[in-house]
Amino acid sequence: MKYWLIKSEPDVFGIEDLKKAQVEPWDGIRNYQARNFMRDEMEIGDLALFYHSNTKPPGVCGVARVASRPYPDPTQFDEKSKYYDPKSKEEEPRWCLLDFEFVAEMPNYVSLDDLKAEAEGKLEGMLVLRRGNRLSITPVEKKHFNHVLKMGGLAAKDVS
DNA sequence: GCCAACGTTGGC
DNA sequence: GCCAACGTTGGC
């Protein structure tokens, strides 16, 4: 089982929205590296830290779980969608997505500052703390995942 | 709203 | 295949 961090802007789709929807197709990923993670490496049951970006303060607010195999992102063929990609062909889709399901909301919001405070300790090497990192999906080491979980006030049993 | 970082595009 | 121009992300 692998661990991930997925970013989302709460104004667009936050943890509350996921909680309400329970399962959500993670559409709109238009970055090859992030796509490849979904297409090639994510498996059903993998857990992801749900991160709120572009908000004050940014930080980890919950946990989600991979709930489907990858499949073509329908928004790439929708001319009215902001994610429309005219270069993508139905017979050879360029972008894929998969579903995430709600697992838990953190009792304690773990802000980016909180994460940074441990950047040279327990969370050393965590990709989201790297300067200039803009990737919306990043792999997370198990020990980092578990530590952030604890910081957020969750135990392993809360996400199993 | 600014701007640094970084990915993508397209001319050559 | 290089690289300048451009667009986007996301913290501040």
Side-chain angles (χ1 to χ4, degrees), chain A residues 10 15-17 23 58 68 73 80 85 93 102 114 116 123 142-143 148 160:
Chain A
I15 189 74
E16 317 265 305
D17 299 304
V23 178
S68 81
D73 181 343
K80 291 187 209 72
D85 183 351
F102 176 81
D114 296 336
K116 280 181 178 166
L123 298 180
K142 182 175 186 178
K143 63 180 180 192
V148 175
S160 63

Side-chain angles (χ1 to χ4, degrees), chain A residues 12-26 50 67 99-103:
Chain A
V12 180
F13 191 87
I15 189 74
E16 317 265 305
D17 299 304
L18 183 62
K19 190 175 185 177
K20 207 176 299 171
Q22 285 296 312
V23 178
E24 179 75 8
W26 210 246
F50 197 107
D99 297 344
F100 278 99
E101 69 176 319
F102 176 81
V103 174

Side-chain angles (χ1 to χ4, degrees), chain A residues 40-111:
Chain A
D40 306 330
E41 300 202 40
M42 282 192 182
E43 287 173 20
I44 292 173
D46 282 1
L47 292 172
L49 298 170
F50 197 107
Y51 179 93
H52 279 170
S53 65
N54 251 317
T55 187
K56 284 203 290 193
V60 177
C61 56
V63 177
R65 183 190 287 119
V66 176
S68 81
R69 302 290 306 149
Y71 57 97
D73 181 343
T75 62
Q76 69 194 307
F77 305 122
D78 178 2
E79 284 183 47
K80 291 187 209 72
S81 169
K82 66 182 247 194
Y83 300 122
Y84 176 62
D85 183 351
K87 292 186 196 155
S88 187
K89 300 274 163 289
E90 297 250 7
E91 58 277 13
E92 201 188 341
R94 180 181 291 203
W95 306 108
C96 71
L97 53 68
L98 36 70
D99 297 344
F100 278 99
E101 69 176 319
F102 176 81
V103 174
E105 201 168 348
M106 300 235 163
N108 314 315
Y109 184 73
V110 184
S111 72

Side-chain angles (χ1 to χ4, degrees), chain A residues 105-138:
Chain A
E105 201 168 348
M106 300 235 163
N108 314 315
Y109 184 73
V110 184
S111 72
L112 183 58
D113 280 345
D114 296 336
L115 295 173
K116 280 181 178 166
E118 308 225 28
E120 266 122 58
K122 290 256 172 64
L123 298 180
E124 188 175 8
M126 198 171 172
L127 288 175
V128 77
L129 299 176
R130 266 211 346 222
R131 186 158 171 247
N133 171 57
R134 303 182 310 155
L135 204 52
S136 58
I137 297 178
T138 52

